[in-house]
Amino acid sequence: QVQLVESGGGLVQAGDSLRLSCAASGRTFSGYRMGWFRETPGKEREFVAAVNWSSGRTYYSDSVKGRFTISRDNAKNTVYLQMNSLKREDTAVYYCAATWAPRGSVVATSYDYWGQGTQVTVSS
């Protein structure tokens, strides 16, 4: 079965960097879109970034564009989210997700598989 396991979260100060990893297993992800979403209490799960596994095409929300970079390592079956210039408002639980690429969008419900989440806390 498909498994997505996030790691790399933690407590950092504003302006710091952090890299999240998502180890994917259970199937071939060629043709899939891998996304990162984040969630804070009382708010809907928010799209952060996505990458098409085959083409490498990337998508970003306006709130992270220019600060975050999504990438994938085909050999390791791992997706990364490099987060630079972190702000307090980036504090959230970050989730890795996967879906068949043509279905993928910025909407969380279009993703079929989810990881367990990793907490990122940015202090000022």
Side-chain angles (χ1 to χ4, degrees):
Q1 79 238 27
V2 173
Q3 269 200 315
L4 304 175
V5 180
E6 302 99 333
S7 61
L11 172 63
V12 296
Q13 293 197 330
D16 284 352
S17 298
L18 207 57
R19 188 177 80 158
L20 305 183
S21 299
C22 171
S25 62
R27 65 161 299 123
T28 301
F29 288 92
S30 174
Y32 269 63
R33 180 171 297 178
M34 310 297 291
W36 285 97
F37 287 76
R38 63 189 182 188
E39 189 172 306
T40 54
K43 291 188 177 181
E44 287 188 5
R45 197 163 288 191
E46 174 193 17
F47 171 77
V48 175
V51 60
N52 284 357
W53 196 280
S54 298
S55 69
R57 182 176 178 180
T58 57
Y59 309 82
Y60 295 96
S61 69
D62 288 342
S63 62
V64 307
K65 200 174 293 183
R67 299 188 298 124
F68 291 11
T69 303
I70 188 171
S71 62
R72 85 266 189 253
D73 185 327
N74 290 345
K76 295 183 178 179
N77 244 29
T78 299
V79 178
Y80 302 99
L81 185 68
Q82 177 67 42
M83 305 186 294
N84 298 331
S85 303
L86 281 161
K87 305 175 181 179
R88 281 193 65 185
E89 51 264 42
D90 294 318
T91 295
V93 177
Y94 282 71
Y95 296 90
C96 178
T99 188
W100 180 242
R103 292 190 63 241
S105 72
V106 302
V107 178
T109 52
S110 69
Y111 287 76
D112 300 309
Y113 306 104
W114 292 87
Q116 82 289 351
T118 184
Q119 176 71 47
V120 172
T121 303
V122 184
S123 65
S124 57

